[in-house]
């Protein structure tokens, strides 16, 4: 009973005695949930467009963060580095469609899922060979993202809001709204949902699977880049970012 008390009861009593600590914990939990939500957004994006659970999405986040920092360390300006990462992800989306997805049209969903597991290990091996394992700092200030924190005096204490965390929450909400409108209101978005429902039917009405899959994997790469920037801002950029 003492163990159960110390695990489930004592923390809440302590937070009740220090309400500022309770609010700080709520905020930190909200920010962590938002960042995990960005990763989930990448999963959902590809699943809605192909009916496949993309096991490789977390390693795409790591790849985006490592590539961005590496380009900058080579002397490339920060925003040019972002453009280069986006170009890299478009090339990766094209390769995934050409070498993997095109060969598996109308195959069982489990086969497509296993292909993303194989892709994950390929990316991990290539990234470790190219980037090594030395942690690096994310270049948030060079990208113009806000730094520092705000303090909210409350209950005789203070709650601290890191500006990078506030930015992450705002951008996550904006991205979710944009993608929701994209899937429901645009011709490409409706085409993506049609592909997920039935590959053969989508082909029969003139929807190009090749083009659709390149687009959706590229957009998933954009989501991975945004996620990698904010995750990397909270900790060093390394393979430990892989969730």
């Amino acid at each position: 009973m003492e163990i159960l008390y110390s695990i489930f009861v004592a923390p809440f009593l302590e937070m009740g005695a220090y309400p500022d600590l309770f609010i700080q914990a709520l905020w930190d939990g909200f920010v962590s949930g938002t960042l995990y939500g960005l990763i989930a957004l990448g999963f959902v994006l590809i699943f809605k467009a192909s009916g496949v659970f993309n096991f490789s999405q977390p390693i795409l986040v790591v790849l985006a963060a490592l590539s961005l920092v590496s380009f900058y360390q080579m002397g490339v300006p920060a925003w040019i580095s972002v453009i280069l990462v986006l170009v890299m992800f478009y090339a990766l989306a094209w390769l995934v469609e050409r070498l993997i997805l095109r060969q598996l049209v109308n195959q069982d969903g489990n086969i497509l899922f296993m292909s993303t597991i194989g892709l994950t290990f390929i990316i991990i091996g290539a990234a470790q060979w190219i980037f090594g394992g030395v942690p690096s700092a994310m270049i948030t200030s060079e990208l113009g993202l806000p730094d520092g924190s705000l303090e909210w005096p409350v209950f005789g204490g203070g709650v601290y809001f890191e500006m990078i965390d506030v930015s992450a929450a705002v951008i996550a909400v904006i991205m979710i709204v944009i993608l929701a409108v994209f899937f429901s209101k645009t011709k490409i978005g409706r085409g993506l949902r049609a592909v997920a429902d039935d590959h053969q039917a989508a082909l029969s009405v003139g929807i190009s699977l090749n083009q659709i899959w390149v687009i959706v994997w590229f957009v998933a790469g954009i989501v991975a880049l945004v996620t990698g920037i904010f995750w990397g801002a909270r900790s060093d950029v390394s393979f430990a970012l892989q969730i």
Side-chain angles (χ1 to χ4, degrees):
M1 291 298 294
E2 291 183 0
I3 295 177
L4 294 176
Y5 177 85
S6 63
I7 294 176
F8 296 105
V9 179
F12 290 98
L13 293 177
E14 182 178 354
M15 286 186 178
Y18 300 97
D20 57 326
L21 177 62
F22 177 69
I23 296 174
Q24 186 73 61
L26 286 178
W27 169 250
D28 291 340
F30 170 76
V31 173
S32 296
T34 298
L35 293 175
Y36 279 109
L38 284 174
I39 295 176
L41 190 60
F43 286 122
V44 171
L45 182 64
I46 291 181
F47 185 82
K48 284 180 69 69
S50 61
V52 179
F53 182 83
N54 178 26
F55 189 82
S56 65
Q57 186 65 26
I59 195 60
L60 292 181
V61 173
V62 179
L63 178 64
L66 288 172
S67 301
L68 177 61
V69 172
S70 296
F71 282 132
Y72 182 77
Q73 290 175 344
M74 289 188 293
V76 180
W79 282 103
I80 301 298
S81 298
V82 170
I83 294 173
L84 289 178
V85 173
L86 293 177
V87 171
M88 181 189 73
F89 269 110
Y90 185 84
L92 178 62
W94 185 85
L95 287 173
V96 168
E97 186 280 324
R98 179 59 61 93
L99 300 179
I100 299 176
L101 299 178
R102 182 176 294 191
Q103 317 303 323
L104 299 176
V105 174
N106 287 324
Q107 295 295 322
D108 183 76
N110 290 328
I111 296 176
L112 287 165
F113 171 66
M114 293 301 295
S115 70
T116 67
I117 295 178
L119 177 63
T120 298
F121 286 107
I122 292 173
I123 294 175
I124 289 174
Q128 288 179 334
W129 177 60
I130 295 171
F131 302 112
V134 180
S136 303
M138 178 51 68
I139 54 173
T140 50
S141 59
E142 290 81 357
L143 292 173
L145 294 173
D147 199 2
S149 61
L150 296 175
E151 182 182 0
W152 178 31
V154 61
F155 299 113
V159 178
Y160 293 89
F161 299 92
E162 297 292 336
M163 294 304 297
I164 193 68
D165 292 343
V166 175
S167 300
V170 172
I171 290 177
V173 171
I174 292 173
M175 291 184 69
I176 291 171
V177 171
I178 290 175
L179 289 175
V181 173
F182 173 74
F183 273 108
S184 61
K185 301 298 183 182
T186 67
K187 182 178 179 180
I188 294 178
R190 290 191 292 269
L192 292 173
R193 289 188 285 125
V195 169
D197 290 338
D198 191 320
H199 294 173
Q200 196 62 44
L203 285 170
S204 67
V205 296
I207 296 176
S208 172
L209 291 182
N210 302 341
Q211 182 182 11
I212 289 293
W213 275 338
V214 169
I215 290 172
V216 75
W217 276 78
F218 176 59
V219 175
I222 296 175
V223 173
L225 175 58
V226 174
T227 308
I229 289 173
F230 287 111
W231 268 112
R234 303 193 88 204
S235 60
D236 289 335
V237 178
S238 68
F239 282 92
L241 281 178
Q242 187 178 3
I243 308 303

